[in-house]
Amino acid sequence: MTDRKKVGSFYTPKSIADFLVNYLCDKLQGRQDISVLEPSAGDGVFVKTIYSHGTLSDRIKKVVAVEQSKRELNKIAKAVRHESFSAIHSDFLEFQNENKQKFSLVVGNPPYIKKSLLKASQIEHCKLIHQNANLADTKPKNIWTAFLVRCIEFTAEDGILAFVLPSELLQVKFAAELRELILREFERVEIFTFNELLFNDCKGQDTVLL
């Protein structure tokens, strides 16, 4: 088994990051002092795309990027070098216990890791996140569900959440509560689907943009 599968590290293609950031820029038109959370920064494609976007980068107040790989985080920090950027070396499941902030934009591609590959501490964190959100099914099937639930809570009242997620969000029984949560918490929900797989190295996993 590869390390990438163990940590759910399937990085977002730049073409998708470019599309999503361009699309979000239109949604954020007119807003100033934008705050951004990237809960699983990976290779930093979303962070770098945000800072390289001319009409968006000037309105950024702060960007917080959380990543458990110190090596990847150092690469992002070297590439960005902006006073509004904060690089947090942490597992998001640990970070979320301490974070009290809400953000204008929460964007990213949460890791896809089945329960059988999670550490006991990660499973416990996921259970508590589900439980605190009053979900009936507190047992995590995959780590991405806990990322989604917690990041909904970290999205400001007038904020936007934009995630790359497995299409099982729309298909499987255990995700029904998540769909209800999304529809309850957000005024508008938009979903992009694709005719082809976005991640060639994650065979068989269809993906959507939420």
Side-chain angles (χ1 to χ4, degrees):
M1 185 182 300
T2 65
D3 287 340
R4 294 186 68 192
K5 189 170 182 181
K6 288 179 182 177
V7 298
S9 188
F10 299 99
Y11 293 157
T12 307
K14 189 176 185 305
S15 59
I16 295 300
D18 288 340
F19 165 76
L20 195 53
V21 171
N22 278 327
Y23 191 76
L24 292 169
C25 187
D26 290 340
K27 298 288 183 184
L28 293 165
Q29 194 169 11
R31 296 199 199 183
Q32 302 294 327
D33 297 330
I34 297 168
S35 57
V36 182
L37 171 65
E38 218 293 29
S40 51
D43 63 352
V45 66
F46 283 112
V47 172
K48 289 182 280 190
T49 303
I50 286 170
Y51 276 112
S52 65
H53 196 289
T55 60
L56 182 58
S57 59
D58 293 341
R59 294 181 285 133
I60 295 294
K61 180 181 180 180
K62 66 179 173 184
V63 174
V64 176
V66 182
E67 174 54 43
Q68 63 180 351
S69 168
K70 186 68 172 178
R71 182 175 65 178
E72 296 290 2
L73 202 61
N74 286 339
K75 290 179 185 177
I76 302 169
K78 287 180 181 178
V80 173
R81 294 187 180 278
H82 198 284
E83 62 182 10
S84 63
F85 177 64
S86 297
I88 308 294
H89 179 219
S90 175
D91 183 331
F92 174 75
L93 295 179
E94 299 288 344
F95 168 83
Q96 59 88 24
N97 277 327
E98 305 298 327
N99 178 62
K100 305 299 181 185
Q101 305 177 69
K102 289 184 179 285
F103 297 84
S104 313
L105 173 63
V106 182
V107 60
N109 175 12
Y112 185 88
I113 314 174
K114 294 180 179 179
K115 180 182 177 182
S116 59
L117 298 177
L118 294 176
K119 301 174 184 176
S121 59
Q122 291 176 312
I123 293 172
E124 190 58 32
H125 281 309
C126 291
K127 282 183 179 179
L128 287 173
I129 289 171
H130 285 205
Q131 182 179 322
N132 290 337
N134 296 316
L135 298 184
D137 188 357
T138 60
K139 297 178 181 178
K141 307 294 190 301
N142 198 297
I143 198 172
W144 68 262
T145 62
F147 271 68
L148 175 60
V149 170
R150 201 67 173 105
C151 284
I152 289 174
E153 296 166 357
F154 290 155
T155 306
E157 188 69 24
D158 61 346
I160 298 172
L161 181 142
F163 268 179
V164 181
L165 292 172
S167 60
E168 59 192 37
L169 170 69
L170 308 178
Q171 300 166 346
V172 298
K173 185 177 179 181
F174 78 78
E177 280 190 297
L178 298 178
R179 297 192 292 270
E180 292 173 3
L181 177 66
I182 292 166
L183 291 172
R184 186 167 64 246
E185 292 294 327
F186 291 97
E187 183 178 286
R188 180 177 175 84
V189 178
E190 299 179 356
I191 295 174
F192 293 86
T193 61
F194 302 89
N195 293 327
E196 299 178 0
L197 294 179
L198 294 187
F199 300 88
N200 293 326
D201 50 359
C202 187
K203 296 179 179 179
Q205 181 57 63
D206 289 333
T207 310
V208 300
L209 301 184
L210 172 70

